[in-house]
Amino acid sequence: MKLYIYDLTNMTDDTYDKILSQLTEETKNNILKNKMRITRLRHVAGELLKRVAVSSYLQREISYVDDIGSVIEENNIFYDFAFIKNFVICAVSDKQVGVAADKKSSDDYSLMENAFGKCKTKCKDCPLASECTYIESHALDEYRIVVCQSNAKVNMA
């Protein structure tokens, strides 16, 4: 499993326009209907980060990642996103994965539940869903990132 973090303050208008122009009309329209600029930026950055993360994970260039839920079927790759402040976080794995991010607190249980719930919900039809127990935690300034991934590989066949 690899974790990728992108700071939205690094996104130029040219990069935003370029990524937006490469998306399907449906994805582009879904992004553009958001009234808040930060939401549009997050989603475009998510598309960019997904491309970079999957390319890096597969160790080969991927120019576009078709979004089929959170699974890239032909490569058996799973990913999930979290957005917090100016950051987009993407976890990529060969196993089902869930990621959550929030401000650090004395009670991080809810954050772990969020990551675990995302992972388990995505694998609800998978007999391995009960095995989604691997929790990893990372610090990002005053924020905490929690990643949950299945400890067994999911067979996509």
Side-chain angles (χ1 to χ4, degrees):
M1 192 271 307
K2 288 188 179 180
L3 194 64
Y4 300 85
I5 300 171
Y6 182 77
D7 185 344
L8 290 174
T9 60
N10 294 330
M11 182 174 283
T12 65
D13 289 340
D14 288 341
T15 301
Y16 175 87
D17 292 339
K18 179 180 177 183
I19 297 302
L20 195 62
S21 72
Q22 294 173 354
L23 301 175
T24 64
E25 283 303 310
E26 181 181 3
T27 302
K28 188 186 310 184
N29 290 336
N30 285 336
I31 290 171
L32 293 175
K33 73 180 178 184
N34 289 292
K35 293 182 180 178
M36 295 184 63
R37 183 176 186 274
I38 188 70
T39 304
R40 292 191 307 270
L41 280 173
R42 284 176 174 166
H43 287 287
V44 170
E47 292 295 327
L48 172 63
L49 186 58
K50 179 171 55 173
R51 218 178 279 181
V52 169
V54 172
S55 292
S56 174
Y57 193 84
L58 294 174
Q59 297 182 336
R60 62 183 166 88
E61 187 67 28
I62 302 282
S63 60
Y64 177 74
V65 177
D66 190 21
D67 191 17
I68 304 170
S70 62
V71 181
I72 299 159
E73 291 182 339
E74 65 274 13
N75 294 300
N76 220 18
I77 301 296
F78 298 83
Y79 60 91
D80 191 33
F81 286 97
F83 303 102
I84 190 161
K85 288 285 207 172
N86 290 328
F87 298 100
V88 180
I89 299 123
C90 179
V92 181
S93 178
D94 62 347
K95 300 168 186 150
Q96 185 61 54
V97 65
V99 62
D102 207 346
K103 281 195 171 193
K104 288 181 187 175
S105 70
S106 57
D107 176 19
D108 286 312
Y109 180 74
S110 62
L111 192 55
M112 286 194 243
E113 273 295 307
N114 190 359
F116 180 79
K118 286 171 80 176
C119 184
K120 194 167 184 174
T121 299
K122 288 179 184 179
C123 354
K124 65 182 179 216
D125 298 325
C126 171
L128 302 174
S130 63
E131 298 184 37
C132 292
T133 56
Y134 176 75
I135 298 284
E136 195 170 312
S137 182
H138 304 273
L140 175 66
D141 296 329
E142 71 269 24
Y143 302 99
R144 180 177 164 123
I145 302 163
V146 175
V147 181
C148 171
Q149 91 177 3
S150 171
N151 59 13
K153 189 164 182 168
V154 176
N155 183 1
M156 295 299 295

